[in-house]
Amino acid sequence: MLTSMNERFDIGIVGAGQLARMMVQAAISLGLRVRVLAESPADSAALVWPDIVIGSPNDPEVVASFAEACNVVTFDHELVPPKVLAVLTVQRATLRPNPKALALAQDKLWQREQFARRGLPVPRFHGVRSIEDVAAFAIETGWPVAVKTAVGGYDGRGVWRVASAPEAAELFASLPARGTNLIAEAWVPIDREVAAMVARSPAGEVATYPVVDTLQIDGICREIVAPAGISAHLSDKATALAIDVAKAIDLTGVMALELFVAGDELFINEIATRPHNSGHYTIEGCTTSQFEQHLRAVMDLPLGSTDLTAEHVVTVNVLGGPTGEDPRQTLAQALALPGVNVHLYGKSARPGRKLGHVTVLGENLEEARERAWLAAGLLTGERVESPR
Amino acid sequence: MLTSMNERFDIGIVGAGQLARMMVQAAISLGLRVRVLAESPADSAALVWPDIVIGSPNDPEVVASFAEACNVVTFDHELVPPKVLAVLTVQRATLRPNPKALALAQDKLWQREQFARRGLPVPRFHGVRSIEDVAAFAIETGWPVAVKTAVGGYDGRGVWRVASAPEAAELFASLPARGTNLIAEAWVPIDREVAAMVARSPAGEVATYPVVDTLQIDGICREIVAPAGISAHLSDKATALAIDVAKAIDLTGVMALELFVAGDELFINEIATRPHNSGHYTIEGCTTSQFEQHLRAVMDLPLGSTDLTAEHVVTVNVLGGPTGEDPRQTLAQALALPGVNVHLYGKSARPGRKLGHVTVLGENLEEARERAWLAAGLLTGERVESPR
């Protein structure tokens, strides 16, 4: 049952980035009453939503007071400090996803341990705190190894390829003296990366989206292609794995499971317990977008159809170009391309920053990809060719 | 060229009903800076948008001051008082649509005269001010005649079927003593009603949407089916007519042309120089929604593709039921139906009030219609069968 007018908010969203922005855009259609906690009035979602509270999402008192007015609290990121989760738990706020799922998503070492214990496929790993730890791990797996920060890495930051003991020494020399938890992982011979998205409601309803190909360049997701160009067998395996993980963490909301494909094997790379870049294509590309689906799921409303609306759907991210040009200045050029759906996030332009994305649907994959890359390039002031 | 951050607004929307609400929802994707003039903070668009000015859209000073901060001014309704248009014209605000198009859309007598002069097909008509005028008109055309208010009618209000001189007398007795401009029209033997939507930009670019069937019950639009079940010949004729009208009024933005179909003939019923109920289906049903298209057109951005995204698209309006129940209370039931796209407007429920709409896409028209009517019925607390 939804709240009556002028009572509490249906949903409070902690964080006001582009994910919150696209969540509130979806909330308009369903008539949901949403409040957003933003760090700054210039945050992506704060620019387009009236019910904004300004405050730090890392301050337990701020978040606790914010949560009091909301029936359900959700997040546009996983990096919720444990002290915030603790306070919210004590005040019995309804957190969706639940605090443990959030904590698992942000602490990769604990996550790997939990998943390994349940027999979920993760690369061979070990917590490491020294050069010696890494070298010892490499004796078991061989060089190179992947070294990652356990908490806080994203978009390729906090991940290193270490090919020898001297390289490990170099890495450790560059890190803060103490306090960084690291994981060493066996280097997976990756054929491709895919993502499987699943939604799950408190009632236990589960909906899975088509598995997609994700193309990372310099560790940053640049392109999503739905459906992924993999066998039905692998795709089914990825989907089943997403459901297993969702159940294992008692997911509520949507989750993206990022996977490495190596031959016929899948390895869990990351999980994101929220709408995710790999699901932006669903806005036009699926009957129910990941943003509406997340709202439905956290509100315990029935989940929507995840059918594709076209044979192929391509999303390309719009990253800030080297000149820092505002993509609004070339919007007309991108919109002149037929069938290009533009999404800008209202963020100030900085080189490499995710400023928006474009989505193209079509029967011909290569045509759709070319058009999407062309549009994204126009929006960043670059002429970027499709990289494949 | 769009404005830089923190400068003027790209677009000011006068009026904050559901059309403005869905316009701002579309503006989020394009990153446009929009300000909305609302009469009340409870207005449909004011509930979901941060940049709101509260004031009367009929007060010339209020609108003039509002317009000063906006590069382009557009409207979510046609009933803009002439004095407001006059003030905006004097201050050289960029009005899209232009003041004459707005005035023509609201004054049906003047509109009929202008259209008839250009050879556009309108039912035979005459301005009438008395019972005698109506009777004289009926001598030429026969009874019944349609009598309409020249300004201000909508959703079946201000339209009467008059079958005899005594009925005309009855009608005039019920009207205010003076000041109502009326039109008498020959009664058209309507087979069906259709609507043709066209978008036109200041650069002269034109885009037309598929012609749709509109089903009116008690003068209120209840259902839209795209594409209309008419011959290609009639459909092409309707589309050509929409382009002719758009050019005749120098349209900028989108326009819905509502047409009577009588045999092989088309007659112009109404025009709406803005997004229109008959185009709500375009949100999911076309590559570019009428709301994004309107924003593109008034900003002089390239127009988007109007291709259908499915074989059949059905929209059914959600009208307030007799019990005045808030459709949010039965949202879960509607969302449980697969493939139902729900749009609620945040308006308080009153019997007969347009509170939202639902859209269903499909290959099978009858299935889509049944599901859409079922969902709309659930949202209004009624079980409404598809009426055809």
Side-chain angles (χ1 to χ4, degrees):
Chain A
M1 186 72 78
L2 284 75
T3 58
S4 300
M5 300 291 274
N6 302 320
E7 288 176 18
R8 291 156 62 82
F9 289 90
D10 298 313
I11 303 180
I13 303 172
V14 176
Q18 64 262 30
L19 300 176
R21 181 182 173 105
M22 292 184 272
M23 279 191 230
V24 298
Q25 192 178 21
I28 293 175
S29 299
L30 298 185
L32 300 180
R33 302 190 65 231
V34 176
R35 173 165 277 186
V36 177
L37 178 61
E39 285 210 81
S40 148
D43 283 357
S44 189
L47 294 171
V48 299
W49 196 248
D51 286 304
I52 298 289
V53 173
I54 303 294
S56 169
N58 300 324
D59 181 331
E61 277 181 46
V62 166
V63 181
S65 144
F66 173 79
E68 250 170 32
C70 305
N71 286 337
V72 169
V73 176
T74 191
F75 303 83
D76 88 334
H77 59 282
E78 294 94 13
L79 297 176
V80 186
K83 61 188 177 182
V84 169
L85 291 178
V87 168
L88 288 172
T89 306
V90 168
Q91 87 177 58
R92 294 175 184 246
T94 303
L95 302 190
R96 292 179 179 160
N98 69 66
K100 189 180 166 192
L102 281 166
L104 269 174
Q106 68 179 276
D107 183 337
K108 276 173 217 156
L109 181 53
W110 186 38
Q111 182 198 113
R112 291 279 192 253
E113 289 165 356
Q114 295 280 315
F115 286 177
R117 188 169 306 159
R118 286 173 176 270
L120 296 166
V122 291
R124 193 163 170 181
F125 71 97
H126 209 281
V128 290
R129 292 180 165 271
S130 65
I131 306 165
E132 293 72 26
D133 287 350
V134 176
F137 181 74
I139 291 172
E140 295 176 40
T141 64
W143 300 100
V145 300
V147 177
K148 305 180 175 181
T149 55
V151 177
Y154 70 100
D155 280 356
R157 283 181 249 188
V159 180
W160 302 271
R161 182 183 185 277
V162 176
S164 63
E167 277 192 29
E170 212 175 302
L171 170 61
F172 275 86
S174 72
L175 293 174
R178 51 183 179 142
T180 309
N181 280 329
L182 297 173
I183 317 174
E185 281 186 2
W187 192 262
V188 176
I190 303 171
D191 295 327
R192 65 205 303 159
E193 296 187 50
V194 298
M197 175 157 281
V198 59
R200 189 163 172 273
S201 71
E205 196 187 354
V206 169
T208 58
Y209 283 88
V211 177
V212 298
D213 275 315
T214 65
L215 177 68
Q216 327 284 325
I217 299 176
D218 299 331
I220 299 181
C221 177
R222 295 298 300 271
E223 180 198 71
I224 297 102
V225 173
I230 56 177
S231 68
H233 167 70
L234 259 184
S235 173
D236 290 348
K237 203 164 147 179
T239 300
L241 199 49
I243 295 173
D244 286 348
V245 172
K247 288 183 181 165
I249 67 173
D250 193 18
L251 176 75
T252 46
V254 299
M255 177 190 77
L257 180 69
E258 294 185 89
L259 296 163
F260 296 137
V261 180
D264 194 40
E265 283 193 285
L266 296 174
F267 296 95
I268 295 173
N269 176 23
E270 304 232 5
I271 67 171
T273 56
R274 51 166 169 80
H276 184 253
N277 198 160
S278 66
H280 289 354
Y281 82 94
T282 61
I283 297 175
E284 293 87 9
C286 292
T287 302
T288 311
S289 81
Q290 65 166 347
F291 300 102
E292 178 170 324
Q293 196 78 295
H294 185 70
L295 299 176
R296 289 188 186 213
V298 302
M299 295 280 300
D300 207 6
L301 291 164
L303 301 182
S305 158
T306 57
D307 291 348
L308 283 171
T309 60
E311 251 174 273
H312 300 285
V313 189
V314 179
T315 290
V316 174
N317 283 338
V318 175
L319 302 188
T323 58
E325 203 181 337
D326 182 349
R328 286 167 43 94
Q329 301 308 321
T330 46
L331 177 60
Q333 293 169 51
L335 293 180
L337 299 171
V340 170
N341 300 280
V342 173
H343 296 263
L344 297 182
Y345 305 153
K347 291 154 77 173
S348 58
R350 283 204 303 266
R353 194 179 195 197
K354 283 183 189 167
L355 304 177
H357 72 268
V358 297
T359 297
V360 177
L361 284 63
E363 286 179 23
N364 183 314
L365 174 58
E366 280 319 306
E367 267 178 34
R369 293 189 65 235
E370 268 171 40
R371 204 142 14 107
W373 278 94
L374 182 57
L378 289 168
L379 287 168
T380 53
E382 300 172 288
R383 300 288 295 219
V384 190
E385 296 295 316
S386 159
R388 273 177 200 162
Chain B
M1 187 71 77
L2 285 75
T3 58
S4 299
M5 300 291 276
N6 303 321
E7 287 178 16
R8 293 157 60 82
F9 289 90
D10 298 312
I11 302 180
I13 303 173
V14 176
Q18 64 262 31
L19 300 177
R21 180 181 174 104
M22 291 184 272
M23 279 191 232
V24 298
Q25 192 178 20
I28 292 175
S29 300
L30 299 185
L32 300 180
R33 303 190 64 230
V34 176
R35 174 166 276 184
V36 177
L37 178 61
E39 285 209 83
S40 149
D43 283 356
S44 188
L47 295 171
V48 299
W49 196 247
D51 285 305
I52 298 289
V53 173
I54 303 295
S56 169
N58 301 323
D59 180 331
E61 277 181 46
V62 166
V63 181
S65 145
F66 173 80
E68 251 169 32
C70 306
N71 286 338
V72 168
V73 176
T74 192
F75 303 84
D76 88 335
H77 59 282
E78 293 93 14
L79 296 176
V80 186
K83 62 187 175 185
V84 169
L85 291 178
V87 168
L88 288 172
T89 307
V90 168
Q91 88 176 56
R92 293 175 185 247
T94 302
L95 303 189
R96 291 178 180 162
N98 69 66
K100 190 181 167 192
L102 281 166
L104 269 175
Q106 68 178 275
D107 183 336
K108 277 173 217 155
L109 181 54
W110 186 38
Q111 181 197 114
R112 291 278 191 254
E113 288 165 356
Q114 295 280 313
F115 286 177
R117 188 170 305 158
R118 286 174 177 270
L120 296 167
V122 292
R124 192 162 170 182
F125 72 97
H126 208 280
V128 290
R129 293 180 164 271
S130 64
I131 307 163
E132 293 72 26
D133 286 350
V134 176
F137 181 73
I139 290 171
E140 295 175 40
T141 64
W143 300 100
V145 298
V147 177
K148 303 177 174 182
T149 54
V151 177
Y154 70 99
D155 280 356
R157 284 181 249 189
V159 180
W160 302 272
R161 182 182 186 276
V162 175
S164 64
E167 278 192 27
E170 214 175 300
L171 170 62
F172 274 86
S174 73
L175 292 174
R178 52 185 177 139
T180 310
N181 278 329
L182 297 173
I183 316 174
E185 281 187 2
W187 192 263
V188 176
I190 303 170
D191 295 324
R192 67 205 302 158
E193 296 187 50
V194 298
M197 176 158 281
V198 59
R200 189 163 171 272
S201 71
E205 196 187 354
V206 170
T208 57
Y209 284 89
V211 178
V212 298
D213 276 313
T214 64
L215 177 68
Q216 327 284 324
I217 299 175
D218 300 330
I220 299 181
C221 177
R222 295 298 300 273
E223 181 198 69
I224 296 101
V225 173
I230 56 176
S231 68
H233 167 71
L234 259 183
S235 174
D236 291 348
K237 202 164 147 180
T239 300
L241 200 49
I243 295 172
D244 286 347
V245 172
K247 288 184 180 166
I249 67 173
D250 194 18
L251 176 76
T252 44
V254 299
M255 177 190 76
L257 181 68
E258 295 185 89
L259 296 163
F260 296 137
V261 180
D264 194 41
E265 283 193 284
L266 296 173
F267 295 95
I268 295 172
N269 176 23
E270 304 232 5
I271 66 171
T273 54
R274 51 167 168 79
H276 184 253
N277 198 160
S278 66
H280 289 355
Y281 82 93
T282 60
I283 297 175
E284 293 86 10
C286 292
T287 302
T288 311
S289 81
Q290 65 167 345
F291 299 102
E292 178 170 324
Q293 196 77 294
H294 186 69
L295 299 175
R296 288 188 185 213
V298 302
M299 294 280 299
D300 208 6
L301 291 165
L303 300 181
S305 158
T306 57
D307 291 348
L308 284 171
T309 59
E311 251 175 273
H312 300 284
V313 189
V314 179
T315 290
V316 173
N317 283 338
V318 175
L319 303 188
T323 57
E325 203 181 337
D326 182 349
R328 285 167 44 94
Q329 300 308 320
T330 46
L331 177 59
Q333 294 169 49
L335 293 180
L337 299 171
V340 169
N341 299 280
V342 173
H343 296 263
L344 297 182
Y345 304 154
K347 292 155 75 174
S348 58
R350 282 202 304 265
R353 195 178 194 198
K354 281 182 191 167
L355 303 177
H357 73 268
V358 297
T359 296
V360 177
L361 283 63
E363 286 179 24
N364 183 312
L365 175 58
E366 281 319 306
E367 268 177 34
R369 293 189 64 235
E370 269 172 40
R371 202 141 17 106
W373 279 93
L374 182 57
L378 288 168
L379 288 168
T380 53
E382 301 172 288
R383 300 288 295 218
V384 189
E385 297 295 317
S386 159
R388 273 178 199 160

